[in-house]
Amino acid sequence: MGASVPRREDPRLLGGRGRFVDDIVLPGMLHAGFVRSTVAHGLVSELDLAATRATPGVVAAYDAADLDLGDIVALLDRPAAEFTPTAMPILAGRRRSGRSDGGPDKVRFVGEPIGLVLGNDPYVVEDGIEAARVSYEAFAAVLGGEGAAGVAVHEEAPDNVLLDVSMFDTPGVDEAFAAAGCTVEVVTRSARQNALPLETRGVVASWDARDDQLLVQTCSQVPHQVRTVLARSLGIPERTVRVTVPDMGGGFGQKCVVGREEIAVAAAAKRLDRPVKWIEDRREALTAGFLAREQRYRTRAAFDADGRITALDVDVVCDMGAYSCYPFTAGIEPLMASAEMPSVYRVPAYRVRGRALTTNKAPSAPYRGVSRPQYVTAIERVMEKAARELGFDPVELRRRNVITEFPYLGINDVTYDPGTYRESLDLAEATIREEGWERVRDEAAADGRAVGIGYCCFSERTGYGSEAFAKRRMTVVPGFDVSEIRMDTTGSVVVTSGTMNHGQSHETTFAQIVADRLGIDVEAVKLRQGDTERIAYGWGTFASRSVTIGGSAVALASERLGELLCRIAAHLLETRPENVALDGDGGVVQLDDPSRRMDFTDIADVAYLRAHLLPKDVEPTLSATASFDVPGDGTFSNATHAVVVEADRGTGAVRILRYVCVEDCGVVIHPQVVDGQCRGGIAQGIAGALFEEVTYAENGEPSAASFIDYLVPTATEIPDVSIRHLETPCAFTANGAKGAGEGGTIGAPAAVLNAVNDALRSTGVELDATPIHPQTVLAALEGSDV
């Protein structure tokens, strides 16, 4: 661990030998596509699939009544006054069962699936979809705001509020504001975004009548959850469903929820007894895929005359779209923000209200960072405005408020384990100063150019365990992970993990963990994951949990296997178990006589082929299993980002001149992989700050159905990123590691926004919304109304 060994995935993936869902071809396989709603809100008064079924090459076409599947329902253990669950049908429309009132389901966003078409190739399927005749009774579309009076997306939520929770209202908030030397209020907004994994969603499902099993090959971050929901929806035992995941081209959280399309495809495969493939096209991904990030924060903060924050009062509103996502619910964004809003600062009094609204837009799901880019932006804008009001340097004001003593129990009832909050801030500032960027900014201003410097100091809670998720009162509580390790007669090992690699280099980093624990070569380790039959149960990969939780389980299983190897070797060497140890070179050595040792292959030969020589209380074969669950509130990585930008006075375009990231994710197992996670996250954070935005027409039709309208940054817009590592080992993960998957995305929007505001400092204009549009910047530079 700690070395950037060659990534084991690279020869396969870069050599074109990867195997993704769309590479899977089975005999007799059909292709699937969906008839999707063209209205944002209404009833399907008619869905006529007769012409579809008559289309040459179309094998079958189904509506909701034909499949009659159970809904996807995500729940919180909260009273009705706080949370309203929603039932997401697999296909919207009239069904034979499922609704208590017997009526049809509404369509609730443009792109909602209402029919399933299956044919011999994807082109025939598209013809069949176009042949479908659909009529709607359209209603007014609910698109935002804090509720639309008289128009309900769901009848059970007449005010269009699915969650309304005041998680904290500690004593002293009002008193702190009354006595404050300075109060500031900022309203920050972030646009709706699409996670845009390179590989869109997809599934190949096939029914094996001989084995009485439904095989579902899909690109999901959470295969076990897919199995559970699929079995419940189809009304079949979970043992009859096997979910596997081949190579996966990204997920970013969008694939850590259960989608309805994979369930519909699996139901069709079972019904027809033929393999069925569905691959989401990019238009579907942009308009009907899970989205995220559309949030508004109204943040008030009180400071004393010395610049120390005395109270925080926050109102959070998140647009969660048409349905709750499974298993996290519509509470995923507002509950995350409410629980962690104080960020890296010492806040003595805290009040927060978090709401999740339902609208006629595609549903929201977790996206890399989950609310943290938004609440960090809110608190960092507070720091900038308070510094100006109080006459402090913005970095100095942060320095006065940042947490420096650990462990720290926050006002939000979260315990922060040791980190380098102050140190990362100091190092980032020193880097910018020593490189002369403050001088560049001042000289640019004298020349009439608009150059600015921005900072963002933040933490990233990683490895959420069961206790942390239980605080949200989820009825499905993620947390633990399980690993099994087996050694064969050649001394090689196969290790399983319930995590799910989709770009994080698990095949390499997990092999490094095993190699260090057992003292074997990395090449002797094979990782298996993404198979619900091989792995007892797993929660997949999200929230930077892979190394913290999955890697800890792998480490503990490896240690147990090492203990078993030592026990057998001691017996064979006729010495005490405490007189032997792993020698770090593929064997066990006798401590009082190092000339006596046994190679792992010799031990394995006995364990498998001469089991009669084993100790009487040791079972044949070499295997061990371990589970791990992060205790308490998880572990916190932290970082400071420093950004230098220039706003073009002719176009308003923002160009990033310098980007510095100082981060601390505990013990770094593979430095190159961590750097890649930081850079990739920063690229997505810059995308949210400057480019990406999902917008809608008044009738609820999404305006961006291609990359012509949805602006994704290219390599020319993303700067080189300088990364500096600090290291504060985590005391309770097995490897000392903290997560590193989301930090880049969390810090970038606030750092860029602060830098742009610094560039506009002479205009008197302050921007508090992302993405930052060039026309807005240009108007500020020209002295026009913004």
Side-chain angles (χ1 to χ4, degrees), residues 479-532:
F480 68 88
D481 199 70
V482 179
S483 177
E484 180 188 6
I485 187 168
R486 300 188 305 275
M487 179 175 284
D488 61 28
T489 58
T490 66
S492 297
V493 300
V494 175
V495 62
T496 69
S497 174
T499 62
M500 191 60 247
N501 180 46
H502 51 280
Q504 297 91 345
S505 305
H506 290 183
E507 292 178 44
T508 303
T509 54
F510 283 24
Q512 288 178 275
I513 293 170
V514 174
D516 268 10
R517 287 297 192 279
L518 293 177
I520 59 177
D521 192 90
V522 169
E523 295 300 320
V525 183
K526 178 66 175 179
L527 173 68
R528 296 290 188 189
Q529 56 183 181
D531 187 337
T532 58

Side-chain angles (χ1 to χ4, degrees), residues 442-459:
D442 296 339
E443 292 175 352
D447 292 338
R449 294 163 52 213
V451 173
I453 300 172
Y455 292 90
C456 175
C457 185
F458 65 95
S459 64

Side-chain angles (χ1 to χ4, degrees), residues 20 28 97 122 150 164 199 211 232 316 367 427 440 442 462 487 527 551 575 582 682 710 713 771:
F20 299 85
S97 62
D164 190 344
E199 179 193 25
D211 206 27
R232 291 177 179 177
V316 183
Y367 174 29
L427 184 53
V440 169
D442 296 339
T462 71
M487 179 175 284
L527 173 68
T575 187
L582 301 179
I682 287 167
Y710 189 83

Side-chain angles (χ1 to χ4, degrees), residues 326-501:
Y326 185 93
F328 302 101
T329 78
I332 176 68
E333 290 185 345
L335 291 177
M336 170 74 84
S338 297
E340 301 184 18
M341 181 77 190
S343 189
V344 295
Y345 302 112
R346 298 187 300 271
V347 177
Y350 178 44
R351 175 189 295 144
V352 62
R353 180 188 184 190
R355 282 173 285 171
L357 306 185
T358 180
T359 59
N360 293 123
K361 303 172 185 177
S364 290
Y367 174 29
R368 197 174 192 172
V370 185
S371 286
R372 286 168 288 185
Q374 286 67 47
Y375 78 67
V376 166
T377 295
I379 194 70
E380 291 297 288
R381 291 299 300 141
V382 162
M383 288 295 169
E384 293 284 320
K385 294 195 176 190
R388 186 186 67 248
E389 293 289 331
L390 291 163
F392 283 102
D393 175 82
V395 174
E396 176 57 29
L397 188 71
R398 290 176 172 86
R399 198 175 278 123
R400 292 187 177 211
N401 287 281
V402 77
I403 300 166
T404 55
E405 296 180 359
F406 300 95
Y408 176 80
L409 177 60
I411 193 69
N412 53 344
D413 196 31
V414 170
T415 299
Y416 297 77
D417 60 331
T420 50
Y421 301 176
R422 170 78 177 263
E423 294 83 351
S424 68
L425 180 63
D426 290 345
L427 184 53
E429 182 192 35
T431 302
I432 292 297
R433 181 183 298 116
E434 291 166 6
E435 292 180 358
W437 287 106
E438 293 174 345
R439 175 179 51 79
V440 169
R441 176 184 59 185
D442 296 339
E443 292 175 352
D447 292 338
R449 294 163 52 213
V451 173
I453 300 172
Y455 292 90
C456 175
C457 185
F458 65 95
S459 64
E460 173 197 357
R461 180 149 49 152
T462 71
Y464 292 77
S466 300
E467 290 183 49
F469 275 118
K471 283 186 176 182
R472 298 183 188 178
R473 298 168 66 176
M474 296 171 60
T475 59
V476 176
V477 182
F480 68 88
D481 199 70
V482 179
S483 177
E484 180 188 6
I485 187 168
R486 300 188 305 275
M487 179 175 284
D488 61 28
T489 58
T490 66
S492 297
V493 300
V494 175
V495 62
T496 69
S497 174
T499 62
M500 191 60 247
N501 180 46

Side-chain angles (χ1 to χ4, degrees), residues 32 52 58 124 153 183 289 338 430 432 495 518 524 535 559 564 569 657 681 694 771:
T52 297
V58 168
V124 166
V153 178
T183 63
S338 297
I432 292 297
V495 62
L518 293 177
I535 294 96
E559 289 176 0
L564 178 60
L657 306 178
V694 178

Side-chain angles (χ1 to χ4, degrees), residues 568-590:
I568 296 172
H571 174 75
L572 297 174
L573 291 170
E574 299 181 334
T575 187
R576 304 179 314 279
E578 59 269 22
N579 192 36
V580 298
L582 301 179
D583 65 2
D585 191 27
V588 177
V589 64
Q590 185 169 318

